[in-house]
Every structure is written in C-alpha cells, then in structure tokens.
Amino acid sequence: MPAIPASDDLAHCRVLVVEDEYFLADDVARILSARGAEVVGPVGTLSEAEELARSRPLDAALLDINLKGEFTYRVADILRDRNVSVVFTTGYGPCFIPPPYAHVPVWKKHTEVRDLVALLRAACPMARA
C-alpha cells in the first residue's frame, strides 16, 4: 500500500478498524494515524469488533465485510444504532452486499488510499475540512 503524506485531515475522528488481514490492518491503521485519526483496533475477529462497537466512543468504522467466513453486518447494525458512520471494505464486488446495506460506502481493498481517507472524512463529522 503506497504511503500518503501525513496531515491532520482526520483529526478528532475516532475510527474503529476491523480487518482480518494483518498486514492490511496494520497499514490502514498507520495511514489513518498519520492523517490524525485516533485508531481503535485494529481487530480481526467478530467478537472483538462487536465488543468495541458497543463499548468505545467512535465517530466512524472501517469494517471488512468478511472476517474468516463471518460477516460484520451485526457490527454495522450496532454502530448504526449508535449513530456511528460505517465504511465497508471488501475484495468482493457490490453484488455481495445485501440490499439493507447497499447505501454504505465501500472501499475496495488494495485500491487508492486517498479514496479511503476521503470516505472516512465524509463519514466523520469531526474531521477537519
């Protein structure tokens, strides 16, 4: 994943990162931190994701849709009920996202990091403009 310059355009944004690919999770966490975000996680299991979604103050979440065969839609529901914005990440096409979640923004894994940052800036009301 290419590096992007550090800045504070995600400052004051608490982002839960849920990703089961260790190196991708680490890269995303470092990139978001460099952009000023407070990263919660990353975590790679559904149970950890649900725990943090219920217990931590969050502004946004980046959820890998499929964690080793378990889908994160329950986590998205928990976050929705708490008014926390969600961005899905996946290697699958949009046809794999059920209709109730079709409105959720998606970052396609291993694509442009600037697109991920833009999605999270839009999702996080506290991010600096």
Side-chain angles (χ1 to χ4, degrees), residues 13-30:
C13 188
R14 295 166 296 203
V15 181
L16 171 62
V17 175
V18 178
E19 172 59 59
D20 61 357
E21 292 181 34
Y22 174 80
F23 292 111
L24 179 59
D26 187 57
D27 285 347
V28 166
R30 282 189 287 118

Side-chain angles (χ1 to χ4, degrees), residues 1-6 27 30-31 34-35 112-114:
M1 182 172 293
I4 55 174
D27 285 347
R30 282 189 287 118
I31 288 166
R35 299 304 286 238
E112 292 293 326
V113 172
R114 73 176 144 258

Side-chain angles (χ1 to χ4, degrees), residues 12 15 63 71 74 78 88 103-104 109 114 118 121 123-124:
H12 309 294
V15 181
L63 303 181
F71 294 98
R74 288 189 315 210
I78 293 166
F88 285 139
H103 67 284
V104 176
K109 286 186 180 184
R114 73 176 144 258
R121 283 184 64 205
C124 185

Side-chain angles (χ1 to χ4, degrees), residues 46 50 61 63-66 70-81 84-90 92-107 119:
L46 190 59
E50 288 176 348
L63 303 181
D64 181 357
I65 290 175
N66 185 346
E70 295 185 292
F71 294 98
T72 58
Y73 300 120
R74 288 189 315 210
V75 179
D77 293 340
I78 293 166
L79 294 166
R80 181 199 60 226
D81 292 346
V84 174
S85 298
V86 170
V87 173
F88 285 139
T89 182
T90 186
Y92 301 115
C95 63
F96 287 93
I97 299 173
Y101 304 97
H103 67 284
V104 176
V106 176
W107 179 64
L119 287 170

